[in-house]
Amino acid sequence: MKDYLVVLSGASGSAYGLRLVEQLLSSGASVTFIATQAGREVMAFETGFALPEGGAAEAVLRYLELPVSLPLRVVAPGELFDRVASGSSAPDAMIVCPASMGFVASVAAGLAADLPERAADVMLKECRPLVLVPRETPLSLIHLRNLTAVTEAGAVVVPAMPAFYQKPQSLDDMVNFVVGKVLDVLGVEHELYNRWGE
Ligand SMILES: Cc1cc2nc3c(=O)[nH]c(=O)nc-3n(C[C@H](O)[C@H](O)[C@H](O)COP(=O)(O)O)c2cc1C
């Protein structure tokens, strides 16, 4: 069974992260989910879903309308002793979705100051897949340099940029396009959008 780590940070677009968790679990994978403090707040503001302190995994699964028996772990960002903090038990891939520019900066600088930052640091040092889904506009030179630095270090940057050639009919279509692009990078099959020429 594939094992993924999804970090939801404080950029706009928490719907992307939640859809990603839903799709990875539906693909038969196990998922560890960490929301940063800002991520929790922006998610509650944008979606109305407030992550509870206790029973968080069940709450996420209920929100996603998935069976509560699915292998989801919800871990707090302060839990530095969690297994994703170690290269010896790193997940198959880590996805930061959405990724704030602050989070990208921390990864670029190698801060590793909390569990999500440490996990990203581990993925890079172990040469394992790290996918960052930034959402910001316009981009400053600092943002561009940090995105370049993480790419040079081995991360894949998949900006949250929905396309229009798919002729989206709804917000869901736009979310699905971005999440579908992330799943393409991970090699996870999906039917979130129609491929060009289909
Ligand atoms: C409503 C709201 C929307 C935000 N949207 C973005 C965004 O799209 N991109 C971004 O880089 N930061 C955004 N921010 C700022 C981040 O949340 C802030 O920089 C935070 O410190 C990031 O922390 P984190 O990386 O630990 O999650 C937003 C903040 C709020 C309150």
Side-chain angles (χ1 to χ4, degrees), residues 22 59-68:
E22 174 208 278
V60 171
L61 290 166
R62 287 197 192 284
Y63 179 77
L64 297 175
E65 298 181 359
L66 291 173
V68 292

Side-chain angles (χ1 to χ4, degrees), residues 85-168:
S86 171
S88 64
S89 53
D92 290 300
M94 170 176 176
I95 312 98
V96 186
C97 180
S100 73
M101 296 320 300
F103 195 92
V104 172
S106 298
V107 176
L111 292 188
D114 62 7
L115 182 62
E117 292 178 12
R118 165 66 183 167
D121 206 49
V122 165
M123 297 306 277
L124 292 180
K125 84 180 173 72
E126 300 290 336
C127 299
R128 296 177 84 106
L130 171 63
V131 180
L132 302 174
V133 186
R135 205 248 48 113
E136 188 50 280
T137 194
L139 293 168
S140 73
L141 182 59
I142 293 169
H143 298 151
L144 292 166
R145 284 200 170 127
N146 286 334
L147 290 167
T148 302
V150 295
T151 303
E152 286 171 341
V156 178
V157 174
V158 184
M161 290 181 179
F164 289 84
Y165 59 81
Q166 294 284 336
K167 303 195 175 160

Side-chain angles (χ1 to χ4, degrees), residues 9-12 36 38-39 42 45-46 99-103 135-136:
S9 72
S12 183
T36 66
V42 175
F45 178 73
E46 289 187 338
S100 73
M101 296 320 300
F103 195 92
R135 205 248 48 113
E136 188 50 280

Side-chain angles (χ1 to χ4, degrees), residues 13-99:
S14 32
Y16 296 127
L18 290 166
R19 179 67 42 83
L20 180 63
V21 170
E22 174 208 278
Q23 289 293 309
L24 291 174
L25 287 169
S26 301
S27 78
S30 59
V31 174
T32 299
F33 177 67
I34 307 173
T36 66
Q37 182 55 38
R40 291 171 76 119
E41 290 176 31
V42 175
M43 177 170 65
F45 178 73
E46 289 187 338
T47 69
F49 175 62
L51 201 58
E53 294 293 338
E58 190 174 327
V60 171
L61 290 166
R62 287 197 192 284
Y63 179 77
L64 297 175
E65 298 181 359
L66 291 173
V68 292
S69 55
L70 286 181
L72 173 69
R73 290 191 319 133
V74 177
V75 180
E79 291 196 24
L80 279 171
F81 282 69
D82 188 77
R83 65 173 158 85
V84 299
S86 171
S88 64
S89 53
D92 290 300
M94 170 176 176
I95 312 98
V96 186
C97 180

